[in-house]
Amino acid sequence: MRKNSIKSTRINGEVQRVLAEIIRGEIKDPRISPMTSVVAVEVAPDLKTCKAYISVLGDDTARDETLQGLKSAEGFIKSRLAKTINLRNTPEITFVMDQSIEYGVNMSKLIDEVNKNLSDRSDEM
């Protein structure tokens, strides 16, 4: 299976959808932040490993605790994934913290501040 094949893209999308549902609704660990989202998933071509890119809205402690909670729940997540998706192999999941959403929110705030300052300056003239 090639990296960018249609089959690979469909498997990545399905695993991402199911992981998001499991994290959102089935894990009861209090360390996992309710503002956790699955940004992207990359399943290896042999279906043995999987990288799940996770984004947590919050401070550094919330991110660290969420990552610890997800790592401790890997077995449960893998078993639920195996029951939900019928794959030849159920991949070993590695959670990777992705800060792209937080970066986008911060950039949006900075742009809004610059626009506000520009409009304040134009009003003074």
Side-chain angles (χ1 to χ4, degrees), residues 57-58 63 99-113:
L57 196 60
R63 277 193 288 266
Q99 297 168 347
S100 61
I101 293 176
E102 183 179 350
Y103 179 77
V105 168
N106 287 335
M107 282 307 205
S108 178
K109 286 180 185 177
L110 291 173
I111 291 170
D112 290 344
E113 287 178 18

Side-chain angles (χ1 to χ4, degrees), residues 75-94:
F76 173 76
I77 293 171
K78 184 177 176 180
S79 70
R80 296 298 300 156
L81 190 65
K83 289 178 184 174
T84 308
I85 300 176
N86 186 15
L87 293 173
R88 182 174 55 238
N89 298 319
T90 303
E92 291 291 328
I93 303 167
T94 304

